[in-house]
Amino acid sequence: MDSANEIRFTVEMTLGKLAKWLRILGFDTAYAANVTGEELIDTARNRSLLTRTKRIWDMKIAKECIFITSNHPFEQLREVILALDIEKEDIRPFSRCIQCNTSIRWVEKNAVRGKVPDYIWETQDTFYTCSHCRRIYWSGSHIQRSRDIIQRLFT
Ligand SMILES: [Zn+2]
């Protein structure tokens, strides 16, 4: 199977949680609550389109279209993983900005002083930043929870 670098998604607006999770797994995922019509067609051209809207499905606008049936984000993710035969080796968790889809990069601890809460700065040693929206990431309990979910995804 392709690596996370090569699998790219466009996610329709009703599937926001699924889009967020695909970014957590490291997939290039185009999503914006206001992407509709022409813009959707444009972004979907070279991507796998995830939709649960029959009208969009019928348009056959993407190179590949996956129809999502579940209402639950975890099950939706399973549908995508099964449809594309994605394996655990294909994902790169926590490598991408959840907010804007840009790859994040390691940043010196000193560079984020004052930009994260003091107790975070004092207790964490490794930070990452998004060069686009400037959001700062660090390992925390939410990462552990996400890891547990990822583990369940591939068992
Ligand atoms: Zn960002």
Side-chain angles (χ1 to χ4, degrees), residues 97 99-102 130 132-135 137:
C97 181
Q99 198 152 280
C100 76
N101 196 40
T102 307
C130 170
H132 182 73
C133 75
R134 306 281 168 201
R135 185 166 165 171
Y137 292 87

Side-chain angles (χ1 to χ4, degrees), residues 12-154:
E12 73 162 39
M13 60 179 290
T14 65
L15 294 167
K17 282 192 177 140
L18 175 59
K20 179 186 150 195
W21 265 99
L22 289 167
R23 286 177 181 171
I24 290 174
L25 296 183
F27 293 108
D28 180 345
T29 304
Y31 171 80
N34 57 355
V35 170
T36 51
E38 286 298 314
E39 275 180 314
L40 182 73
I41 290 169
D42 220 40
T43 31
R45 200 157 285 147
N46 298 307
R47 290 164 178 267
S48 297
L49 175 66
L50 309 183
T51 183
R52 55 178 171 184
T53 306
K54 183 74 167 54
R55 185 179 54 78
I56 291 173
W57 168 260
D58 286 341
M59 287 160 75
K60 303 279 183 235
I61 52 177
K63 71 166 188 178
E64 183 165 34
C65 197
I66 298 169
F67 196 82
I68 302 295
T69 56
S70 174
N71 289 319
H72 189 280
F74 183 83
E75 292 305 323
Q76 292 168 349
L77 261 183
R78 293 273 299 176
E79 288 182 42
V80 176
I81 285 167
L82 285 174
L84 294 179
D85 199 17
I86 295 169
E87 291 172 17
K88 204 172 177 192
E89 295 71 37
D90 298 321
I91 64 172
R92 289 192 302 131
F94 317 113
S95 63
R96 194 171 285 276
C97 181
I98 293 161
Q99 198 152 280
C100 76
N101 196 40
T102 307
S103 291
I104 58 174
R105 57 185 173 76
W106 177 84
V107 66
E108 289 239 26
K109 181 171 177 168
N110 276 326
V112 301
R113 186 167 207 167
K115 295 176 183 168
V116 296
D118 287 348
Y119 74 96
I120 295 293
W121 196 85
E122 280 154 20
T123 55
Q124 301 292 322
D125 286 320
T126 308
F127 293 90
Y128 299 86
T129 186
C130 170
S131 59
H132 182 73
C133 75
R134 306 281 168 201
R135 185 166 165 171
I136 296 162
Y137 292 87
W138 58 87
S139 295
S141 59
H142 62 288
I143 296 261
Q144 190 50 52
R145 278 198 301 275
S146 299
R147 279 193 206 288
D148 293 343
I149 291 170
I150 291 167
Q151 191 62 38
R152 281 199 290 126
L153 268 178
F154 291 95

